[in-house]
Amino acid sequence: MSLFRKFFGSSEDTSKSGKHEEEKSPYSPDVKLPIDEMFTRNFKKNGGKFLYCENLEEVSENFINILEENDWFESEANCYDSRLNYLLDENKIERNNVKNPKFLLSSCENLIADNGSILFSSNQFKHYKPDELPTNMVIFATTSQLVASKSDGLRSINFKYTNNRPSNITTITYFQEAKEDDFLHYGSCHKNLYLLLLEDL
């Protein structure tokens, strides 16, 4: 059984784990979480919206649910990864020479577990900085892209693109607008981000 399915099990399971956490002593030693669970907790804590998919059919279904939730049908979007164009074409979303994109549909390089961030490069963003892209993002990733830390993600990029390393390597960590009194996030680029995560392990 997938750890993601176990983690996103029934609401009954969630309530049990919540009780267990409340009973835990503050003096108990920290338990090292599995990498997928660590990413999921940190990503959701950062305000990200998570949709676990077992197959490509579920990816398409969940993408349609996102469009319905936000009323994005027959709108415009940016997408710099041709492998994802079919999702836009199937749903009549304009992607060529758009002037007012409602969202960005993109892949990513890696998912960073220790802080719940997502690592991107010029392969996904071209030359654009995160604050030059739409606030709304729908990101497609697979479970094999999970890494423990940002340095592991950078090593993965170096290994994957030995002869043609991408530029514009950046992470996005915050997926909701910072509160006024939250000085730690001050000046950070936040995105309203949905993650479509496909199980491929």
Side-chain angles (χ1 to χ4, degrees), residues 89-128:
D89 295 340
E90 283 176 356
N91 294 288
K92 298 180 181 175
I93 296 177
E94 185 59 45
R95 58 181 169 79
N96 296 314
N97 303 316
V98 297
K99 293 179 181 169
N100 189 25
K102 293 281 187 187
F103 65 97
L104 170 78
L105 175 63
S106 179
S107 57
C108 66
E109 295 294 344
N110 290 104
L111 306 173
I112 311 298
D114 66 359
N115 66 357
S117 66
I118 303 181
L119 182 65
F120 299 94
S121 75
S122 54
N123 290 327
Q124 293 84 39
F125 288 178
K126 301 294 182 193
H127 61 279
Y128 298 105

Side-chain angles (χ1 to χ4, degrees), residues 15-29:
S15 63
K16 281 180 189 170
S17 68
K19 284 178 189 169
H20 178 68
E21 281 178 16
E22 286 172 17
E23 292 168 7
K24 183 181 168 188
S25 164
Y27 304 106
S28 300

Side-chain angles (χ1 to χ4, degrees), residues 36-51:
D36 51 358
E37 195 171 329
M38 186 192 309
F39 171 77
T40 304
R41 287 190 179 192
N42 290 330
F43 177 75
K44 289 176 84 178
K45 189 168 68 176
N46 293 341
K49 299 174 186 80
F50 188 100
L51 296 157

Side-chain angles (χ1 to χ4, degrees), residues 125 129-135 137 170-178 185-193:
F125 288 178
K129 295 175 182 170
D131 59 359
E132 297 172 324
L133 296 165
T135 300
M137 292 185 162
T170 188
T171 57
I172 296 178
T173 306
Y174 304 111
F175 312 114
Q176 60 190 359
E177 201 163 358
H185 297 180
Y186 182 75
S188 300
C189 177
H190 80 278
K191 297 292 179 185
N192 175 35
L193 192 142

Side-chain angles (χ1 to χ4, degrees), residues 135-147:
T135 300
N136 301 307
M137 292 185 162
V138 180
I139 305 302
F140 172 79
T142 60
T143 51
S144 60
Q145 290 176 279
L146 281 160
V147 294

